[in-house]
Amino acid sequence: PLDNPGLDIRAVRTVGDIQAGIQLRGTLRHPRTELYSLPAMSQSDALAYLVLGHPLERTTSSEEGQLMAQAALALSLQGGDYLARSLGDRFGFEEMRIETSDTGEQASLVIGRYLSPRLYISYGVGLIEAVNTINMRYQLSRRWQLKAESGIDQKADLLYSIEH
């Protein structure tokens, strides 16, 4: 169907005699990824060759380490967001999704629900680090909204919106 097309995508990187790649198959809603290499090597080394162009043991900079962590996190979460949304629909949550931080080093399962037409509450559970957050949004009026978050940091915002 047009809203769930089939996927058959391959990305390959060749470094000398070594070939590392990733294959994406399945459908848009249920993708499956597979790392491979010729000659055969561990999944982490295949990912390192694909992303960095050299084996994992030759990674020296923190930027390369962060790049590898982001790539590994992205691969481990593939399809997880769709699964979370499907479970959220089944259990009656307005929101249930996988969310990553701006740096890509942390991921959370976020579950949310409207307690009233004006009050929305969500709870985030850290998937990598034990960081949990509670968020609240309260619609004061058509233009004013109060947002608060409690987790590593506690913060609150008063928002004013202008619609054209």
Side-chain angles (χ1 to χ4, degrees):
L2 290 175
D3 65 339
N4 191 26
L7 303 172
D8 189 8
I9 302 168
R10 181 182 293 203
V12 179
R13 185 174 195 175
T14 304
V15 180
D17 294 337
I18 297 174
Q19 192 179 75
I22 186 168
Q23 190 159 323
L24 179 65
R25 289 189 172 175
T27 64
L28 188 61
R29 291 188 182 152
H30 300 287
R32 294 183 321 268
T33 58
E34 179 183 323
L35 288 169
Y36 67 92
S37 63
L38 296 169
M41 61 183 70
S42 70
Q43 295 283 297
S44 56
D45 274 338
L47 183 61
Y49 268 103
L50 185 62
V51 174
L52 305 172
H54 57 76
L56 192 57
E57 69 229 17
R58 287 196 12 218
T59 301
T60 57
S61 71
S62 62
E63 290 84 19
E64 285 184 337
Q66 185 174 356
L67 193 59
M68 281 294 296
Q70 289 173 341
L73 178 62
L75 283 175
S76 68
L77 294 178
Q78 68 89 19
D81 193 48
Y82 177 75
L83 177 63
R85 289 175 195 270
S86 298
L87 288 172
D89 290 344
R90 174 173 269 177
F91 292 110
F93 293 108
E94 277 87 11
E95 178 180 50
M96 187 171 191
R97 62 185 163 78
I98 303 289
E99 178 180 272
T100 58
S101 66
D102 293 337
T103 61
E105 295 175 353
Q106 172 65 344
S108 299
L109 174 65
V110 177
I111 301 168
R113 183 177 184 107
Y114 280 93
L115 299 180
S116 76
R118 301 173 99 178
L119 178 62
Y120 178 81
I121 301 286
S122 68
Y123 181 70
V125 179
L127 299 175
I128 297 172
E129 295 180 22
V131 177
N132 300 332
T133 59
I134 296 176
N135 292 289
M136 185 266 317
R137 272 191 331 254
Y138 186 74
Q139 194 74 38
L140 297 168
S141 69
R142 191 171 66 87
R143 297 195 184 271
W144 289 96
Q145 186 178 83
L146 177 65
K147 289 178 76 173
E149 179 178 310
S150 179
I152 293 176
D153 299 319
Q154 283 70 39
K155 53 188 169 185
D157 295 312
L158 185 60
L159 304 172
Y160 181 78
S161 61
I162 301 172
E163 296 178 17
H164 299 292

mmCIF file of all heavy atoms in Angstrom, residues 5 16 19 22 27 47-48 65 67 74 82 84 88 101 107 117 155-156 162:
data_model
loop_
_atom_site.group_PDB
_atom_site.id
_atom_site.type_symbol
_atom_site.label_atom_id
_atom_site.label_comp_id
_atom_site.label_asym_id
_atom_site.label_seq_id
_atom_site.Cartn_x
_atom_site.Cartn_y
_atom_site.Cartn_z
ATOM 1 N N PRO A 5 4.991 1.379 2.139
ATOM 2 C CA PRO A 5 5.705 0.731 1.030
ATOM 3 C C PRO A 5 6.791 -0.232 1.514
ATOM 4 O O PRO A 5 7.289 -0.122 2.634
ATOM 5 C CB PRO A 5 6.333 1.921 0.288
ATOM 6 C CG PRO A 5 6.478 2.973 1.331
ATOM 7 C CD PRO A 5 5.310 2.785 2.263
ATOM 8 N N GLY A 16 39.821 -0.392 1.595
ATOM 9 C CA GLY A 16 40.811 -1.400 1.221
ATOM 10 C C GLY A 16 40.114 -2.674 0.783
ATOM 11 O O GLY A 16 39.273 -2.667 -0.113
ATOM 12 N N GLN A 19 34.744 -4.627 3.257
ATOM 13 C CA GLN A 19 33.469 -4.054 2.846
ATOM 14 C C GLN A 19 32.510 -4.165 4.028
ATOM 15 O O GLN A 19 32.332 -5.246 4.586
ATOM 16 C CB GLN A 19 32.930 -4.836 1.645
ATOM 17 C CG GLN A 19 31.782 -4.175 0.960
ATOM 18 C CD GLN A 19 31.324 -4.984 -0.231
ATOM 19 O OE1 GLN A 19 30.680 -6.006 -0.054
ATOM 20 N NE2 GLN A 19 31.670 -4.532 -1.432
ATOM 21 N N ILE A 22 25.077 -1.857 5.571
ATOM 22 C CA ILE A 22 23.824 -2.002 6.305
ATOM 23 C C ILE A 22 22.731 -2.221 5.278
ATOM 24 O O ILE A 22 22.717 -1.609 4.217
ATOM 25 C CB ILE A 22 23.532 -0.770 7.196
ATOM 26 C CG1 ILE A 22 22.306 -1.006 8.054
ATOM 27 C CG2 ILE A 22 23.403 0.488 6.359
ATOM 28 C CD1 ILE A 22 22.126 0.031 9.146
ATOM 29 N N THR A 27 8.978 -3.194 5.675
ATOM 30 C CA THR A 27 8.080 -2.129 5.237
ATOM 31 C C THR A 27 8.396 -0.869 6.023
ATOM 32 O O THR A 27 9.143 -0.911 7.012
ATOM 33 C CB THR A 27 6.603 -2.509 5.464
ATOM 34 O OG1 THR A 27 6.380 -2.652 6.869
ATOM 35 C CG2 THR A 27 6.228 -3.779 4.728
ATOM 36 N N LEU A 47 29.882 -1.749 12.151
ATOM 37 C CA LEU A 47 29.312 -0.406 12.285
ATOM 38 C C LEU A 47 30.418 0.645 12.280
ATOM 39 O O LEU A 47 30.277 1.700 11.656
ATOM 40 C CB LEU A 47 28.472 -0.308 13.561
ATOM 41 C CG LEU A 47 27.764 1.017 13.800
ATOM 42 C CD1 LEU A 47 26.785 1.332 12.674
ATOM 43 C CD2 LEU A 47 27.040 0.995 15.144
ATOM 44 N N ALA A 48 31.545 0.355 12.948
ATOM 45 C CA ALA A 48 32.669 1.303 12.966
ATOM 46 C C ALA A 48 33.233 1.512 11.562
ATOM 47 O O ALA A 48 33.513 2.655 11.159
ATOM 48 C CB ALA A 48 33.766 0.801 13.914
ATOM 49 N N GLY A 65 33.746 8.579 19.118
ATOM 50 C CA GLY A 65 33.011 7.759 20.081
ATOM 51 C C GLY A 65 31.553 8.169 20.165
ATOM 52 O O GLY A 65 30.656 7.327 20.220
ATOM 53 N N LEU A 67 29.852 9.713 17.789
ATOM 54 C CA LEU A 67 29.238 9.351 16.519
ATOM 55 C C LEU A 67 28.842 7.871 16.517
ATOM 56 O O LEU A 67 27.752 7.505 16.072
ATOM 57 C CB LEU A 67 30.194 9.657 15.375
ATOM 58 C CG LEU A 67 29.649 9.637 13.968
ATOM 59 C CD1 LEU A 67 28.514 10.633 13.803
ATOM 60 C CD2 LEU A 67 30.753 9.940 12.979
ATOM 61 N N ALA A 74 20.627 4.700 17.294
ATOM 62 C CA ALA A 74 19.646 4.762 16.195
ATOM 63 C C ALA A 74 19.287 3.365 15.709
ATOM 64 O O ALA A 74 18.112 3.074 15.459
ATOM 65 C CB ALA A 74 20.195 5.603 15.053
ATOM 66 N N TYR A 82 7.499 3.069 16.439
ATOM 67 C CA TYR A 82 6.232 2.552 15.895
ATOM 68 C C TYR A 82 5.593 1.573 16.880
ATOM 69 O O TYR A 82 4.377 1.613 17.118
ATOM 70 C CB TYR A 82 6.464 1.874 14.542
ATOM 71 C CG TYR A 82 5.215 1.259 13.986
ATOM 72 C CD1 TYR A 82 4.219 2.056 13.432
ATOM 73 C CD2 TYR A 82 5.005 -0.111 14.054
ATOM 74 C CE1 TYR A 82 3.041 1.501 12.951
ATOM 75 C CE2 TYR A 82 3.839 -0.671 13.577
ATOM 76 C CZ TYR A 82 2.863 0.135 13.023
ATOM 77 O OH TYR A 82 1.709 -0.418 12.556
ATOM 78 N N ALA A 84 5.990 1.511 20.153
ATOM 79 C CA ALA A 84 5.497 2.279 21.297
ATOM 80 C C ALA A 84 4.165 2.946 20.963
ATOM 81 O O ALA A 84 3.232 2.924 21.766
ATOM 82 C CB ALA A 84 6.525 3.325 21.714
ATOM 83 N N GLY A 88 0.620 2.312 22.771
ATOM 84 C CA GLY A 88 -0.103 3.446 23.342
ATOM 85 C C GLY A 88 -1.542 3.487 22.870
ATOM 86 O O GLY A 88 -2.462 3.730 23.660
ATOM 87 N N SER A 101 17.383 12.499 23.035
ATOM 88 C CA SER A 101 17.860 13.834 23.404
ATOM 89 C C SER A 101 18.468 14.520 22.190
ATOM 90 O O SER A 101 18.722 13.894 21.160
ATOM 91 C CB SER A 101 18.893 13.732 24.531
ATOM 92 O OG SER A 101 20.044 13.066 24.059
ATOM 93 N N ALA A 107 17.821 8.147 25.401
ATOM 94 C CA ALA A 107 16.504 7.848 24.823
ATOM 95 C C ALA A 107 15.539 7.572 25.967
ATOM 96 O O ALA A 107 15.935 7.062 27.015
ATOM 97 C CB ALA A 107 16.591 6.640 23.902
ATOM 98 N N PRO A 117 -9.600 18.429 29.396
ATOM 99 C CA PRO A 117 -9.340 19.066 28.100
ATOM 100 C C PRO A 117 -8.224 20.115 28.144
ATOM 101 O O PRO A 117 -7.620 20.417 27.126
ATOM 102 C CB PRO A 117 -10.682 19.719 27.751
ATOM 103 C CG PRO A 117 -11.700 18.914 28.485
ATOM 104 C CD PRO A 117 -11.025 18.483 29.756
ATOM 105 N N LYS A 155 11.911 22.996 35.719
ATOM 106 C CA LYS A 155 11.702 24.259 35.030
ATOM 107 C C LYS A 155 10.226 24.446 34.738
ATOM 108 O O LYS A 155 9.454 23.490 34.705
ATOM 109 C CB LYS A 155 12.518 24.325 33.748
ATOM 110 C CG LYS A 155 12.326 23.169 32.793
ATOM 111 C CD LYS A 155 13.334 23.244 31.661
ATOM 112 C CE LYS A 155 13.329 21.954 30.865
ATOM 113 N NZ LYS A 155 14.340 21.914 29.860
ATOM 114 N N ALA A 156 9.869 25.712 34.533
ATOM 115 C CA ALA A 156 8.503 26.065 34.181
ATOM 116 C C ALA A 156 8.549 27.216 33.188
ATOM 117 O O ALA A 156 9.438 28.073 33.255
ATOM 118 C CB ALA A 156 7.711 26.454 35.422
ATOM 119 N N ILE A 162 0.655 33.401 19.311
ATOM 120 C CA ILE A 162 -0.021 34.274 18.363
ATOM 121 C C ILE A 162 -0.284 33.456 17.115
ATOM 122 O O ILE A 162 0.626 32.897 16.533
ATOM 123 C CB ILE A 162 0.854 35.502 18.007
ATOM 124 C CG1 ILE A 162 1.177 36.283 19.273
ATOM 125 C CG2 ILE A 162 0.159 36.361 16.977
ATOM 126 C CD1 ILE A 162 2.185 37.388 19.065
#
